[in-house]
């Protein structure tokens, strides 16, 4: 699109952030600095940050390694789980290869059992999630946060002080603020940029090991977009405003956002683990108990593995109101039972309580359904 040519060069650099991070991971190891790999937004990254470790999300969103994974895993399993395992076992993910420790979480039964196989060829630490977000669940989760800190100390032979954790909390909070400032630009109508482009900025920033640099660069992008907002908004014009909810988006599943915008809509918010959910809510910097503060922030992440999933609906409702959405597209992965079952409740919430359109898209990591998706999403946009 024309608007992309007028944005700062750094905008495109963020789109290449993951590729550049592969080289950064090797440099990290060449300097003998620790690297911790993660799969989920429930992992409190402030703890490895406190010991000066780099933290990176591991490869999990491509069908490239799924055939290899299916030698050990059922073909009917969620593609995210198979992709994660395939990248790990094939050594096709540089992040996984260079990670000293992989920190995972018991979000679903498929992941939990897959991690047992993965632990045979990589040091793993599994954080045990509660099933409910109540008082008893929080007590368990706080213990898990402390156990994770103790694992890092034991595994790397370091001491992590509470002052170090507080500094990491401040830095990560600032990163969250910068990302939310970027996302908030989409509250404008017409928007000053297309949502898929903005998604790539924040997603790319998550692969920048220098977090202070990532904050600086995201704010540079935000300022530049604001400088040219009037001109660019006029070029884009008013479009149906879509929120994407559901399973994590990235890699292969970015096709959904791309098709929405190619067929005349604009994605104003991403309510998923690779979107606003990952940055929503700050850690309380004034709480003298740093472990309680960390546990509280991560405990309030909405996810379909929780029953009931109160915090997901709370966030989705706020986004619908604040971003003035015309519709919610609920993107789920084949074989992801919790998110697929929850589409029933999300549909009722969106259409009955919020009074806007709802559309469910179930997909996988192949491109075989792109033609069908194009037809169906174009029909939604035209209806709006």
């Amino acid at each position: 699109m024309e608007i992309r040519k007028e944005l700062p060069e750094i905008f495109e650099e963020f789109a290449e952030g993951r590729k550049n991070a592969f080289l950064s991971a090797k440099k990290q190891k060449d300097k003998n600095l620790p690297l911790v790999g993660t799969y989920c937004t429930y992992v409190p990254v402030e703890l490895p940050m406190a010991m000066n470790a780099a933290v990176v999300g591991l490869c999990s969103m491509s069908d490239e390694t799924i055939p290899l994974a299916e030698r050990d895993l059922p073909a009917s399993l969620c593609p995210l789980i198979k992709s994660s395992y395939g990248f790990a076992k094939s050594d096709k993910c540089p992040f996984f290869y260079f990670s000293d420790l992989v920190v995972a979480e018991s979000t679903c039964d498929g992941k939990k059992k897959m991690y047992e196989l993965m632990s045979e060829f990589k040091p793993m630490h599994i954080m045990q999630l509660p099933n409910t977000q109540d008082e008893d669940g929080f007590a368990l989760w706080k213990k898990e946060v402390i156990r994770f800190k103790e694992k890092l100390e034991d595994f790397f032979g370091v001491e992590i002080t509470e002052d170090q954790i507080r500094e990491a909390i401040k830095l990560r909070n600032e990163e969250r603020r910068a990302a939310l400032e970027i996302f908030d630009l989409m509250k404008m109508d017409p928007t000053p940029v297309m949502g898929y482009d903005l998604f790539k900025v924040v997603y790319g920033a998550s692969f920048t090991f220098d977090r202070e640099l990532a904050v600086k660069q995201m704010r540079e992008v935000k300022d530049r977009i604001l400088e040219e907002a009037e001109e660019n908004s006029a070029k884009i014009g008013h479009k149906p405003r879509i929120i994407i909810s559901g399973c994590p988006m990235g890699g292969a599943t970015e096709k959904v956002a791309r098709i929405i915008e190619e067929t005349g809509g604009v994605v104003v918010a991403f309510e998923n683990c690779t979107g606003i959910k990952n940055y929503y809510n700050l850690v309380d910097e004034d709480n003298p108990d740093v472990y309680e503060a960390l546990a509280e922030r991560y405990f309030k992440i909405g996810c379909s593995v929780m029953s009931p999933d109160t915090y997901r609906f709370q966030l989705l409702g706020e986004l619908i109101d604040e971003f003035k959405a015309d519709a919610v597209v609920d993107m789920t992965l084949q074989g992801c039972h919790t998110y697929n079952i929850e589409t029933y409740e999300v549909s009722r919430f969106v259409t009955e309580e919020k009074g806007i359109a709802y559309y469910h898209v179930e997909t996988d990591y192949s491109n075989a359904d792109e033609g069908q998706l194009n037809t169906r999403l174009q029909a939604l946009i035209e209806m709006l």
Side-chain angles (χ1 to χ4, degrees):
M1 293 184 62
E2 184 179 1
I3 184 173
R4 294 177 186 170
K5 297 177 182 178
E6 299 179 355
L7 291 169
E9 290 183 9
I10 194 174
F11 198 98
E12 293 301 328
E13 288 174 12
F14 271 115
E16 296 295 313
R18 184 167 172 270
K19 184 189 301 182
N20 296 333
F22 290 161
L23 301 176
S24 298
K26 184 179 185 304
K27 292 177 182 178
Q28 182 85 359
K29 299 314 301 170
D30 288 343
K31 296 177 183 177
N32 202 31
L33 296 173
L35 182 64
V36 174
T38 67
Y39 284 110
C40 182
T41 54
Y42 275 112
V43 175
V45 297
E46 289 87 348
L47 293 176
M49 284 172 60
M51 53 167 280
N52 200 33
V55 186
V56 66
L58 300 175
C59 312
S60 61
M61 297 185 183
S62 167
D63 63 354
E64 177 186 354
T65 61
I66 286 180
L68 173 64
E70 288 178 347
R71 297 179 188 175
D72 299 342
L73 301 175
S76 59
L77 201 60
C78 157
L80 186 148
I81 298 173
K82 292 188 291 185
S83 180
S84 302
Y85 182 79
F87 271 112
K89 190 168 185 180
S90 66
D91 272 339
K92 288 188 175 181
C93 178
F95 297 145
F96 187 92
Y97 178 82
F98 287 117
S99 290
D100 300 292
L101 178 70
V102 169
V103 184
E105 73 313 313
S106 59
T107 42
C108 72
D109 291 341
K111 275 189 171 184
K112 186 166 59 179
K113 300 305 292 184
M114 180 271 285
Y115 291 145
E116 292 180 10
L117 303 183
M118 190 179 285
S119 66
E120 296 178 5
F121 52 86
K122 195 70 172 183
M124 304 278 296
H125 176 74
I126 311 298
M127 298 190 73
Q128 301 296 333
L129 280 173
N131 295 316
T132 57
Q133 290 160 315
D134 57 14
E135 185 177 343
D136 291 337
F138 180 75
L140 183 152
W141 183 238
K142 182 180 177 182
K143 290 179 182 178
E144 284 298 295
V145 170
I146 295 172
R147 188 171 72 90
F148 176 33
K149 177 253 189 185
E150 292 172 346
K151 172 67 177 183
L152 290 170
E153 290 180 318
D154 179 66
F155 185 84
F156 290 102
V158 298
E159 178 186 2
I160 302 175
T161 68
E162 293 188 7
D163 284 342
Q164 289 173 318
I165 296 173
R166 289 189 183 94
E167 288 303 309
I169 287 172
K170 290 178 182 177
L171 178 55
R172 180 59 174 161
N173 273 349
E174 199 60 24
E175 188 177 9
R176 292 187 180 105
R177 291 187 187 99
L180 291 173
E181 290 167 12
I182 287 272
F183 286 127
D184 280 351
L185 295 171
M186 301 305 286
K187 292 179 181 179
M188 299 180 188
D189 189 8
T191 62
V193 68
M194 298 301 287
Y196 181 36
D197 285 331
L198 214 60
F199 169 83
K200 288 187 288 185
V201 169
V202 179
Y203 188 50
S206 69
F207 294 99
T208 302
F209 293 163
D210 185 338
R211 294 182 181 272
E212 291 180 347
L213 177 62
V215 170
K216 177 178 178 291
Q217 291 179 333
M218 280 193 286
R219 287 192 165 133
E220 287 177 0
V221 171
K222 179 202 70 175
D223 292 342
R224 181 64 180 273
I225 293 174
L226 284 173
E227 288 173 7
E228 302 178 356
E230 184 176 352
E231 178 184 355
N232 290 333
S233 293
K235 291 179 180 178
I236 292 174
H238 178 77
K239 297 176 181 292
R241 301 169 64 84
I242 311 298
I243 289 176
I244 292 181
S245 183
C247 291
M249 177 160 287
T253 55
E254 291 176 21
K255 61 188 174 184
V256 176
R258 175 174 51 79
I259 291 171
I260 287 172
E261 299 197 334
E262 286 176 349
T263 53
V266 58
V267 181
V268 294
F270 295 82
E271 184 282 309
N272 51 33
C273 296
T274 45
I276 287 180
K277 185 190 296 185
N278 192 28
Y279 303 94
Y280 189 73
N281 285 336
L282 304 181
V283 178
D284 183 2
E285 298 177 18
D286 297 323
N287 190 332
D289 186 339
V290 293
Y291 306 109
E292 180 179 84
L294 283 172
E296 184 176 21
R297 188 270 163 187
Y298 286 90
F299 189 68
K300 291 183 177 179
I301 293 174
C303 180
S304 65
V305 299
M306 295 295 176
S307 183
D309 188 6
T310 305
Y311 292 112
R312 181 188 180 192
F313 288 88
Q314 177 181 308
L315 174 58
L316 183 57
E318 290 180 13
L319 296 180
I320 290 171
D321 294 340
E322 293 176 9
F323 288 82
K324 297 180 173 57
D326 298 308
V328 169
V329 172
D330 199 359
M331 191 279 294
T332 63
L333 293 170
Q334 293 173 4
C336 183
H337 302 313
T338 57
Y339 268 106
N340 276 308
I341 291 172
E342 198 163 272
T343 58
Y344 177 73
E345 294 180 68
V346 176
S347 174
R348 288 196 306 178
F349 174 76
V350 171
T351 58
E352 297 177 12
E353 187 167 332
K354 307 308 292 185
I356 64 172
Y358 170 87
Y359 200 75
H360 175 219
V361 171
E362 185 179 6
T363 187
D364 59 14
Y365 286 170
S366 74
N367 59 8
D369 62 350
E370 284 204 21
Q372 183 185 56
L373 285 174
N374 188 81
T375 301
R376 294 169 62 193
L377 291 171
Q378 185 172 9
L380 171 68
I381 300 302
E382 290 175 355
M383 178 193 72
L384 295 174

